[in-house]
Amino acid sequence: MSLLARKTLGVLAVGSLMVGGLQSAYAQQDDHAHDHDHGHSHDHSHEHAHEHEHSHEHGHDDSHDHSHDHSHDHDSDIYAGYFDDDQIEDRPLSDWEGDWQSVYPYLQDGSLEPVFEKKAENGDKTAEQYAEYYEVGYETDVDRIVIEGNSVTFYENGEERSAEYQYDGYEILDYAAGNRGVRFIFETEEGDTDMPHYIQFSDHDIYPTDAHHFHLYWGDDREALLEEVTNWPTYYPSELDSDGIVEEMLAH
């Protein structure tokens, strides 16, 4: 999806899930409070009517094998969307610093077929159906993103756009499947830019750590973006080739 189209969709309630209200309760499996010093409220959750499959595209296949050591289980549970509120911490933009490439071109040229074939072995779709699902999820015209300091630069159709972003808190999303996700949100105050007013990161981590890949949502309506779960452009380090990306995906 193009940058301008995504900015327009930011004002719509897009996606296959519904917001349950800004004062609704967190999912029953995780019912702990977490306070913050900044001025943004994170006490509300967003209940979704349908399973957000992408959020656990890696973690759900692991089935939480508790024969592994405790540390591995702990990290796997968080990655799959099972965590307590008091485990979540604010994250700086530097967690996503670097030069990132979209994986969408690799889906289009067939490089990701081994990933879909692997998913089909244990999933509820055929490899072809997974490819169709991720075609919608990965679609984007923003083929490269560079993050340095507070600056975020989008590269789209041979053009680049930049803006400075500041942290705007996080939101917890509750999924019908019983697991959850966290969006870390950044906002620009620059009014004369073509960049989206908000960008929201999801990378399956919930506290400060360097990202190895991420899903990004962008637009001008903060709340409407939280409803977007059908299109989640996904980025891996630009230094990786197609084999490297496939290896990373299969490892999870």
Side-chain angles (χ1 to χ4, degrees):
M1 181 174 293
S2 70
L3 175 60
L4 295 179
R6 288 298 304 239
K7 284 168 65 69
T8 302
L9 281 180
V11 301
L12 302 176
V14 186
S16 61
L17 51 83
M18 298 297 296
V19 173
L22 300 185
Q23 277 75 40
S24 61
Y26 288 137
Q28 294 179 356
Q29 79 278 7
D30 291 303
D31 192 25
H32 305 279
H34 185 48
D35 296 327
H36 302 276
D37 294 330
H38 52 70
H40 304 283
S41 172
H42 309 295
D43 293 337
H44 60 274
S45 64
H46 299 263
E47 291 191 11
H48 299 116
H50 304 285
E51 178 181 356
H52 182 15
E53 193 169 344
H54 126 78
S55 178
H56 312 292
E57 58 187 321
H58 312 295
H60 263 177
D61 293 340
D62 295 336
S63 299
H64 309 298
D65 186 351
H66 293 285
S67 64
H68 294 67
D69 61 58
H70 176 75
S71 176
H72 176 81
D73 286 345
H74 177 75
D75 293 341
S76 295
D77 285 350
I78 290 175
Y79 197 83
Y82 297 93
F83 49 82
D84 295 330
D85 292 356
D86 59 7
Q87 294 176 271
I88 307 170
E89 298 177 17
D90 295 315
R91 297 176 66 183
L93 188 57
S94 59
D95 276 7
W96 298 277
E97 190 165 56
D99 193 321
W100 304 89
Q101 62 177 322
S102 167
V103 300
Y104 185 51
Y106 297 112
L107 181 150
Q108 291 180 302
D109 69 13
S111 296
L112 301 186
E113 287 183 8
V115 178
F116 304 140
E117 291 171 357
K118 181 66 175 179
K119 287 182 178 296
E121 292 178 5
N122 299 309
D124 59 357
K125 297 180 177 66
T126 65
E128 292 76 15
Q129 288 172 327
Y130 274 114
E132 293 172 359
Y133 174 76
Y134 284 96
E135 168 76 28
V136 176
Y138 288 159
E139 182 181 6
T140 183
D141 288 333
V142 179
D143 55 14
R144 180 185 175 205
I145 296 176
V146 175
I147 300 171
E148 184 176 6
N150 292 324
S151 175
V152 178
T153 302
F154 280 9
Y155 292 80
E156 179 182 7
N157 298 324
E159 299 181 358
E160 63 181 86
R161 304 176 177 86
S162 299
E164 300 282 320
Y165 285 85
Q166 297 79 39
Y167 186 55
D168 192 44
Y170 65 76
E171 302 290 351
I172 302 170
L173 306 185
D174 294 326
Y175 306 130
N179 46 14
R180 308 195 297 169
V182 180
R183 298 269 186 94
F184 292 92
I185 304 171
F186 294 82
E187 177 183 16
T188 181
E189 298 295 340
E190 299 178 16
D192 59 347
T193 177
D194 290 332
M195 290 289 285
H197 193 68
Y198 294 99
I199 55 176
Q200 300 183 355
F201 291 88
S202 174
D203 62 2
H204 313 286
D205 286 308
I206 62 174
Y207 41 67
T209 187
D210 290 339
H212 298 289
H213 79 278
F214 61 84
H215 315 288
L216 193 67
Y217 308 78
W218 60 81
D220 294 335
D221 188 318
R222 189 182 193 276
E223 295 301 321
L225 278 180
L226 296 173
E227 301 179 40
E228 172 62 270
V229 293
T230 59
N231 178 239
W232 14 268
T234 300
Y235 296 86
Y236 277 75
S238 292
E239 63 192 35
L240 294 177
D241 60 11
S242 60
D243 290 339
I245 290 176
V246 168
E247 182 178 354
E248 286 288 318
M249 290 183 171
L250 290 177
H252 298 288

